[in-house]
């Protein structure tokens, strides 16, 4: 392989590198000075809006990053922990009847995003702390249009609102228009909660209407005041944090010794899921009830909200029997004219603690609630997560249950988008997740049909309990509307639900044994919960002479949940005193012929010993390092002062140290060192078994001369590169994540476990290699990508280095043909910008200190028979086109000539051809940038290919509108790597697409 030993060649190469560095710096400078948008702290004046779109102009500062608000931090943590699903998506949907202009709506939405930096903000990490960075305003925000019958719209709206957001890339808003007829549309704008709250929607709806009106009239919008920017609010809050000490002390005093409400628990265990399934129950109220409650509030100097909250306290008291109760209510950080029109997450949870003892009358309880509510609202500017941190373990129950399990609210008329010349109808788009276990609501959206409602977590509360709760809440509202002087004990109960009673009486397994009963054996609450699991056939609990109880379970089949997973389920569904120390899986329970359990034949029924071994030691050490206290095996994470951010930190340390997959959510679910060690032991055993089954006999780890390090070796590109190098007989050192390293097998291929976050491992791997192919990428965590490249370049001291980059680094060129090394043209996506920065690091270092030549191979979309590439086909850059073809929906494509561009389509390359180009760059470095486009296909031809291969009907329609997904019109010249990119038999477009589609599981198509 060439190492550029020739001195004359080295001088030419260094000259080339200096020239490339100069160009890269010039490109970076252009990207800053050409930025047309305002940053987080920039003014966005309404009187500077020009053109049809009303976008704000200005000059962005070079550093637009800043701290997160505490509310944003909670959202970011939920994303990092995983398992939030779409609980924190905010769908805003309106059915619009009348003349509707899609282009004007697109302009209006794009202008809205330009006005409010929070709608174009990405979230990254610096030194372990999250931060936010305002991105340039997009040239246009895509608004796909789908023709669909109104009866089929709910499912599509639901799927669209549930699609995940990429917060690291600045994605926080997207839109979809459903066209039911020429003058009948449903408009859906979906936000991530990190960018908006309920109060923001009023501003969003009002400004969209103004901007849409201006776009349809072809005039400038009436003056819109410069909006406050959320990043400024976050900075003010961050700067004020040191001064919150006295008020945090006050909150600690108010909540001292408070405990979560003891809600009735669902005895039937459900399959473990990180997302709380949300369910709603409603009961209609008499139309006169709201006015009667308002009148009662006026008499006691209280709001309707305070009256409904009092009814929630009374209902919760009757449901739980507790006198000392805490209910959460939504507060806001918005105050004063300076925050008027602010778009962002300004909600804050306020805990309201009330003593319900003494059988007070409802009006007396109202006075208590009003006083407690006013006290809480006087401290509404103190972020609730700071309160939780101050309370520490006191913020949770003994079993780890969160203090705020129950909330209450009054729900008014929902916000709709009112556009000129149209009628507007609110469209409800439900989300899957329940944010709290139980939420009481007084629904006044339809003034003629008020309702009492509860939303609840279906994992925790039975439907029967929720039904009883909402019926009791409705009965209380009716009763106090008629006579508020009644004592709580005399308020009438709801009429019995005869269906529920009948079902309960008919249940042969129903008994009155309370959950906390000390019954052991088959009657123990944990045994009953385990047997209720659909994959468990038998279970029992044994209490040793010393120590906590232990459980044994038998699965229906050999494949099913592990003992750790079942233990985690019990922790979330039972009281702490009912949770056994361990769950051991057996093939069968040792029962006598008559059925009694023979405890003497159970394995390990003595007190469980402390876990031992390297993983146990690592868990103990990491608990101590993160939490600052040495834990006992069964100490609870929360009781030791743990919270969400510490769970993320603990998981990342253990994952790095042990090379095993682990998330913050795993830590929150396991909670004790013993359970976390058991989880890691299980994953280590699975990993070892998978390696033994799929790998050949162990090979020597001695690094051989000429070894090529390949990162991302199990990815779609890396796997083909490894295959090509192995076919050429080159020794390969393949870097792969620990959980997938066993998937790599091949003669001459050695595996090193690691990933881009393991900088020490990267440095060591590079130092031992004679050549490098860097194809790994996080796609969304650009700070990680840059840190990894910087580490690798720093450790690189010999041989060539090939970086698999992307044509996204060109941005949006102003010409339809793109030459190799053409300068970037804004807008450049965050992904493309990260590629540019990585290229600059590499090309700057090439040829220095013994380093060889460098090649940045810019790839377009890659197609090949590999599961990762199949996933990208289904859900990646052209995922919308693929899904439309798969479902047989009409496909709207940009008409050639639209916007002055004769062609719209996409560049692509076969993965095998790209691998050949990469390996050739090892022998003949390009000393700069080379394009690796194997071909170009128009959207029309690609849509025909997909529909034919998927067996669906092609309904292609041309439009003068160009959505973001299809706004691609560039041909990439590729002379430098033309020879290896030349297609071989079987590498044509139709063949590779057929291979990818044929290899997809039927249910995933």
């Amino acid at each position: 392989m060439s190492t550029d030993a020739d001195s004359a060649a080295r001088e030419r190469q260094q000259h080339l590198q200096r020239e490339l560095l100069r160009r890269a710096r010039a490109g970076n400078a252009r990207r800053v000075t050409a930025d047309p948008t305002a940053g987080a702290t920039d003014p966005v004046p309404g009187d500077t809006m020009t053109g049809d779109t009303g976008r704000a102009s200005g000059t962005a500062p070079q550093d637009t990053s800043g701290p997160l608000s505490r509310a944003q931090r909670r959202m970011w943590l939920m994303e990092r922990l995983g398992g939030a699903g779409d609980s924190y998506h905010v769908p805003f949907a309106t059915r619009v009847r009348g003349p509707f202009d899609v282009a004007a709506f697109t302009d209006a939405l794009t202008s809205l995003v330009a006005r409010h930096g929070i709608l174009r903000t990405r979230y990254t990490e610096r030194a372990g702390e999250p931060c936010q960075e305002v991105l340039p305003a997009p040239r246009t925000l895509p608004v796909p249009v789908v023709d669909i019958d109104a009866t089929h719209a709910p499912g599509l709206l639901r799927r669209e609102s549930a699609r995940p957001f990429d917060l690291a890339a600045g994605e926080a808003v997207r839109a979809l228009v459903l066209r039911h007829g020429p003058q009948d549309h449903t408009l859906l704008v979906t936000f991530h909660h990190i960018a908006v709250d309920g109060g923001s929607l009023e501003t969003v709806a009002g400004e969209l209407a103004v901007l849409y009106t201006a776009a349809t009239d072809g005039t400038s919008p009436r003056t819109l005041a410069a909006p406050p920017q959320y990043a400024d609010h976050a900075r003010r809050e961050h700067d004020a944090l040191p001064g919150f000490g006295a008020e945090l002390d006050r909150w600690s005093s108010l909540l001292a010794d408070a405990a979560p409400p003891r809600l009735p628990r669902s005895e039937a265990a459900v399959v473990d899921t990180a997302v709380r399934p949300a369910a709603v129950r409603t009961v209609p109220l008499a139309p006169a009830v709201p006015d009667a409650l308002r009148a009662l509030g006026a008499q006691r100097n209280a709001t309707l909200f305070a009256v409904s909250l009092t009814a929630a306290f009374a209902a919760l008291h009757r449901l739980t029997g507790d006198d000392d109760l805490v209910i959460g209510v939504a507060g806001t950080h918005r105050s004063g004219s300076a925050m008027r029109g602010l778009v962002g997450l300004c909600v804050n949870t306020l805990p309201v603690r009330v003593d319900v003892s003494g059988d007070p009358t409802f009006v007396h309880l109202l006075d208590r609630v009003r006083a407690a509510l006013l006290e809480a609202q006087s401290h509404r500017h103190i972020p609730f997560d700071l309160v939780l941190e101050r309370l520490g373990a006191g913020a949770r129950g003994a079993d780890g249950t969160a203090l705020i399990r129950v909330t209450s609210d009054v729900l008014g008329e929902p916000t709709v988008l009112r556009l000129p010349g149209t009628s507007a109808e609110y469209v409800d788009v439900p989300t899957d997740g329940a944010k709290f276990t139980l939420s009481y609501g007084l629904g006044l959206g339809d003034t003629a049909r008020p309702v009492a409602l509860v939303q609840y977590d279906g994992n925790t509360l039975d439907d029967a309990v929720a039904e009883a709760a909402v019926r009791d809440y409705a009965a209380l509202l009716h009763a106090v509307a008629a006579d508020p002087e009644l004592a709580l004990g005399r308020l009438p109960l709801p009429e019995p639900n005869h269906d529920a009673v009948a079902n309960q009486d008919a249940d042969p397994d129903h008994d009155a044994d309370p959950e906390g009963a000390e019954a052991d054996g088959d009657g123990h609450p944990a045994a009953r919960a385990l047997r209720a699991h659909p994959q468990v056939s038998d279970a029992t609990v044994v209490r040793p002479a010393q120590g906590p109880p232990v459980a044994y379970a038998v699965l229906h089949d050999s494949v099913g949940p592990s003992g750790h997973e079942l233990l985690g389920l019990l922790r979330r569904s039972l009281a702490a005193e009912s949770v056994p120390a361990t769950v051991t899986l057996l093939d069968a329970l040792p029962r006598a012929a008559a059925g009694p359990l023979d405890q003497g034949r159970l394995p390990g029924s003595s007190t469980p010993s402390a876990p031992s071994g390297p993983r146990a030691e690592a868990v103990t050490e990491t608990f101590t390092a993160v939490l600052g206290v040495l834990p006992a095996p069964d100490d609870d994470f929360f009781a030791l002062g743990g919270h969400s951010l510490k769970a993320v930190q603990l998981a990342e340390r253990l994952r790095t140290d042990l090379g095993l997959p682990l998330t913050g959510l795993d830590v929150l679910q396991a909670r004790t060192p013993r359970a976390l060690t058991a989880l890691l032991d299980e994953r280590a055993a699975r990993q070892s078994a998978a390696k033994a089954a799929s790998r050949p006999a162990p090979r020597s780890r001695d690094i051989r001369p000429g070894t090529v390090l390949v990162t991302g070796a199990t990815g779609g590109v890396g796997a083909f590169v490894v295959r090509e190098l192995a076919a050429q007989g080159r020794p390969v050192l393949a870097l792969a994540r620990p959980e997938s390293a066993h998937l790599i097998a091949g003669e001459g291929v050695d595996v090193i476990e690691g990933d881009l976050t393991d900088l020490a491992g990267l440095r060591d791997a590079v130092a031992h290699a004679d050549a490098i192919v860097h194809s790994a990428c996080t796609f969304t965590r650009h700070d990680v990508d840059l840190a990894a490249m910087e580490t690798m370049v720093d450790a690189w001291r010999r041989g060539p280095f090939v970086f698999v980059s992307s044509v996204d680094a060109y941005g949006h060129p102003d010409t339809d043909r793109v030459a190799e090394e053409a300068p970037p043209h804004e807008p450049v996506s965050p992904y493309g910008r990260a590629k540019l920065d990585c290229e600059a690091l590499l090309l700057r270092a090439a040829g220095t200190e013994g380093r060889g030549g460098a090649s940045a191979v810019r790839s377009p979309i890659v197609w090949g028979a590999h599961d990762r590439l199949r996933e990208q086909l289904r859900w990646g850059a052209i995922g919308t086109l693929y899904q439309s073809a798969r479902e047989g929906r009409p496909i709207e494509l940009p008409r050639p000539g639209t916007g002055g561009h004769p062609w719209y389509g996409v560049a692509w390359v076969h993965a095998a051809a790209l691998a050949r180009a990469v390996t050739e760059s090892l022998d003949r470095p390009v000393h700069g940038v080379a394009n690796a486009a194997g071909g170009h296909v128009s959207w029309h031809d690609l849509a025909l290919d997909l529909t034919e291969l998927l067996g669906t009907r092609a309904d292609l329609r041309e439009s003068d509108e160009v959505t973001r997904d299809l706004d691609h019109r560039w041909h990439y010249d590729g002379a430098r790597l033309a020879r290896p990119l030349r297609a071989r038999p079987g590498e044509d477009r139709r063949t590779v697409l057929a291979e990818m589609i044929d290899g997809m599981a039927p249910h995933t198509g």
Side-chain angles (χ1 to χ4, degrees):
M1 290 180 293
S2 171
T3 58
D4 299 304
D6 178 70
S7 59
R10 185 180 301 281
E11 285 185 11
R12 291 194 300 273
Q13 175 195 345
Q14 290 175 344
H15 172 76
L16 282 168
Q17 301 306 326
R18 287 193 294 270
E19 175 62 14
L20 288 169
L21 176 59
R22 184 191 66 76
R23 295 184 189 179
R25 286 172 173 167
N28 286 337
R30 284 192 294 272
R31 289 201 299 275
V32 172
T33 57
D35 183 358
T37 63
T41 56
D42 296 336
V44 190
D47 58 3
T48 64
M49 292 183 180
T50 60
D52 293 347
T53 63
R55 294 181 198 134
S57 62
T59 302
Q62 293 189 9
D63 183 10
T64 57
S65 63
L68 270 61
S69 72
R70 300 300 294 200
Q72 285 178 305
R73 186 185 178 93
R74 287 195 299 275
M75 293 295 106
W76 178 84
L77 278 170
M78 292 302 297
E79 289 290 323
R80 289 298 301 275
L81 287 169
D86 63 344
S87 303
Y88 296 100
H89 294 187
V90 182
F92 174 42
T94 304
R95 188 166 182 178
V96 174
R97 292 180 174 89
F100 173 69
D101 187 332
V102 175
F105 180 70
T106 300
D107 281 349
L109 187 60
T110 304
S111 300
L112 180 82
V113 173
R115 280 177 54 79
H116 298 279
I118 190 61
L119 300 180
R120 45 187 167 88
T121 293
R122 69 170 177 170
Y123 301 87
T124 60
E125 265 187 280
R126 291 185 181 175
E129 284 295 315
C131 61
Q132 58 183 316
E133 177 186 355
V134 178
L135 299 175
R139 185 181 58 173
T140 184
L141 200 70
V143 181
V145 179
V146 176
D147 289 305
I148 188 171
D149 187 85
T151 58
H152 298 117
L156 181 55
L157 293 173
R158 178 70 194 87
R159 292 192 298 273
E160 169 65 14
S161 69
R163 282 200 298 119
F165 284 97
D166 182 0
L167 297 182
E171 183 188 13
V173 56
R174 58 173 176 259
L176 176 69
V177 171
L178 305 186
R179 183 161 50 207
H180 314 307
Q183 296 197 353
D184 187 4
H185 299 77
T186 296
L187 318 182
L188 172 65
V189 183
T190 307
F191 301 91
H192 195 285
H193 200 12
I194 201 170
V196 300
D197 56 12
S200 302
L201 292 184
E202 289 289 344
T203 298
V204 165
E207 291 192 3
L208 273 178
V210 171
L211 296 167
Y212 176 85
T213 301
T216 55
D217 293 344
T219 62
S220 296
R222 62 179 173 84
T223 301
L224 288 172
Q229 296 298 316
Y230 187 85
D232 294 332
H233 161 70
R235 287 192 179 94
R236 288 192 298 268
E237 182 188 87
H238 182 266
D239 294 343
L241 293 180
F244 287 161
E247 288 180 281
L248 285 172
D249 289 340
R250 176 59 178 164
W251 268 122
S252 298
S253 175
L254 289 171
L255 298 175
D257 301 322
R262 298 181 301 172
L263 296 172
R265 293 176 181 265
S266 171
E267 182 175 310
V270 297
V271 177
D272 187 18
T273 175
V275 179
R276 301 166 177 258
V280 178
R281 300 277 171 157
T282 62
V283 171
L285 298 173
V289 166
D291 286 339
L293 299 178
R294 289 189 185 91
L296 170 60
Q299 294 171 8
R300 309 297 296 191
N301 197 26
T303 61
L304 175 62
F305 179 86
V307 176
S308 67
L309 177 60
T310 303
F313 270 106
L316 187 59
H317 170 66
R318 300 209 308 195
L319 181 64
T320 64
D322 292 342
D323 291 333
D324 184 5
L325 295 170
V326 179
I327 291 180
V329 301
T332 179
H333 292 298
R334 289 184 177 86
S335 61
S337 58
M339 296 185 74
R340 186 174 299 123
L342 176 65
V343 172
L345 181 59
C346 295
V347 293
N348 187 33
T349 301
L350 302 179
V352 181
R353 185 179 186 181
V354 173
D355 181 1
V356 192
S357 64
D359 196 25
T361 65
F362 186 85
V363 292
H364 288 153
L365 181 59
L366 174 58
D367 292 340
R368 297 181 192 179
V369 171
R370 176 179 173 275
L373 181 60
L374 289 174
E375 173 77 18
Q377 289 174 336
S378 68
H379 305 291
R380 68 180 182 273
H381 57 287
I382 305 297
F384 182 56
D385 66 319
L386 286 182
V387 178
L388 294 180
E389 288 181 11
R390 177 63 64 92
L391 292 172
R396 293 182 175 269
D399 60 349
T401 303
L403 180 62
I404 303 299
R405 301 186 68 193
V406 180
T407 63
S408 179
D409 204 355
V410 174
L411 309 175
E413 183 178 359
T415 302
V416 295
L417 180 58
R418 302 188 184 279
L419 302 179
T422 67
S423 64
E425 177 187 346
Y426 171 72
V427 177
D428 182 40
V429 182
T431 56
D432 278 342
K435 300 179 181 65
F436 300 95
T437 305
L438 177 65
S439 297
Y440 290 98
L442 175 58
L444 304 178
D446 185 343
T447 56
R449 297 180 180 84
V451 297
L453 63 89
V454 297
Q455 184 185 64
Y456 61 100
D457 169 16
N459 279 343
T460 306
L461 289 186
D462 283 325
D463 292 343
V465 172
E467 180 68 24
V470 72
R471 289 165 57 80
D472 190 43
Y473 183 51
L476 281 167
L477 292 173
H478 276 115
V480 301
D483 186 359
E485 296 293 343
L486 287 174
L488 295 190
R490 298 187 60 193
L491 287 170
L493 295 171
E495 293 294 325
N497 186 339
H498 297 291
D499 292 338
V501 172
N503 290 338
Q504 177 174 300
D505 292 342
D507 183 359
D509 294 328
H510 178 81
D511 59 57
D513 186 28
E515 182 186 297
E518 293 299 319
D520 291 328
D522 298 351
H524 191 280
R528 297 202 303 266
L530 288 170
R531 287 196 301 274
H533 194 289
Q535 292 177 277
V536 174
S537 63
D538 200 0
T540 192
V541 172
V542 173
R543 186 180 299 276
Q546 294 181 344
V550 292
Y552 299 88
V554 178
L555 301 180
H556 285 293
D557 300 305
S558 59
V559 178
S562 66
H564 163 77
E565 291 168 335
L566 291 173
L567 182 60
L569 175 63
L570 296 178
R571 288 185 181 279
R572 292 184 294 280
S573 61
L574 296 177
E577 61 271 16
S578 297
V579 178
T582 61
V583 176
T584 301
L585 295 181
L586 301 176
D587 292 332
L589 291 180
R591 297 188 182 276
L597 184 72
D598 185 354
Q599 293 191 17
R601 294 164 55 198
L602 286 170
S605 56
S606 58
T607 303
S609 59
S612 61
R615 284 180 288 275
E617 293 173 1
V619 168
T620 300
E621 292 172 0
T622 308
F623 260 72
T624 304
V626 173
L627 300 176
V629 59
L630 180 66
D634 296 305
D635 280 351
D636 187 274
F637 173 77
F638 296 115
L640 296 175
H643 50 72
S644 299
L645 181 57
K646 289 187 180 296
V648 171
Q649 294 169 345
L650 195 150
E652 290 182 348
R653 286 196 185 197
L654 285 172
R655 183 172 64 82
T656 300
D657 292 345
L658 299 177
L660 292 169
L662 193 70
T663 68
L665 189 62
D666 290 329
V667 174
L668 294 181
Q669 292 177 347
R671 289 174 41 187
T672 69
R674 184 191 303 279
L676 193 57
T677 300
L679 172 63
L680 290 169
D681 286 344
E682 289 174 9
R683 290 184 176 172
R686 290 179 187 173
Q687 190 180 85
S688 297
K691 289 179 181 179
S694 61
R695 291 283 303 277
R699 297 185 296 271
S700 169
R701 289 299 307 275
D702 294 336
I703 303 300
R704 290 159 291 174
T707 291
V708 181
L709 171 67
V710 180
T711 67
T714 58
V717 174
F720 278 84
V721 171
V722 169
R723 188 182 307 167
E724 178 67 20
L725 289 169
Q728 296 178 12
R730 301 193 186 195
V732 176
L733 182 62
L735 181 77
R737 292 176 64 90
E739 57 267 33
S740 55
H742 62 279
L743 300 175
I744 303 172
E747 187 62 34
V749 180
D750 283 313
V751 178
I752 182 170
E753 296 180 351
D755 60 22
L756 297 187
T757 64
D758 180 10
L759 300 183
L762 278 176
R763 184 180 300 277
D764 182 66
V766 171
H768 287 86
D770 294 315
I772 303 161
V773 174
H774 182 29
S775 66
C777 178
T778 68
F779 292 98
T780 58
R781 299 183 63 187
H782 311 311
D783 52 334
V784 173
D785 293 325
L786 287 171
M789 176 60 89
E790 187 173 18
T791 297
M792 295 176 70
V793 168
D794 185 62
W796 174 35
R797 285 296 181 273
R798 62 181 179 275
F801 194 130
V802 181
F803 173 48
V804 181
S805 186
S806 169
V807 294
D808 284 24
Y810 288 115
H812 284 63
D814 53 3
T815 59
D816 291 335
R817 296 202 69 87
V818 183
E820 291 172 307
E821 292 194 306
H825 193 280
E826 293 293 344
V828 180
S829 68
Y831 173 72
R833 186 170 293 110
K835 292 295 187 184
L836 277 172
D837 293 340
C838 286
E839 290 177 0
L841 286 170
L842 174 64
L843 299 178
R844 184 184 306 133
T848 65
E849 300 183 37
R851 299 179 177 96
S855 307
V857 178
R858 291 186 178 176
S859 165
I861 289 177
V862 182
W863 289 334
H866 189 280
D867 285 345
R868 296 281 180 86
L869 300 178
R870 291 185 176 101
E871 284 298 307
Q872 292 174 19
L873 176 64
R874 285 199 296 261
W875 306 111
I878 62 171
T880 301
L881 180 66
Y882 177 87
Q883 294 300 326
S884 296
R886 184 180 69 86
E887 297 173 11
R889 299 198 307 262
I891 300 176
E892 194 165 279
L893 304 173
R895 180 178 291 108
T898 300
H901 303 290
W903 179 89
Y904 284 90
V906 67
W908 69 279
V909 63
H910 195 290
L914 177 59
R916 293 194 299 272
V918 167
T919 56
E920 174 151 316
S921 298
L922 291 172
D923 294 330
R924 302 177 182 83
V926 298
H927 306 301
V929 173
N931 294 339
H936 298 78
V937 56
S938 70
W939 293 129
H940 182 273
D941 290 346
L942 179 57
L944 285 177
D945 287 346
L946 292 173
T947 53
E948 289 177 14
L949 292 170
L950 290 165
T952 57
R953 183 176 62 90
D955 184 4
L956 309 184
R957 305 176 184 183
E958 291 189 341
S959 169
D960 292 329
E961 299 171 6
V962 184
T963 65
R964 182 176 66 175
D965 289 346
L966 303 182
D967 187 12
H968 195 284
R969 53 191 181 271
W970 301 284
H971 283 70
Y972 299 96
D973 295 336
R976 292 178 175 177
L977 294 174
R979 189 185 66 81
L981 288 172
R982 191 173 300 121
R984 295 181 178 179
E987 292 181 358
D988 60 283
R989 184 182 76 241
R990 283 293 295 256
T991 299
V992 68
L993 287 174
E995 290 175 346
M996 296 174 76
I997 291 172
D998 290 344
M1000 295 180 187
H1003 65 281
T1004 61

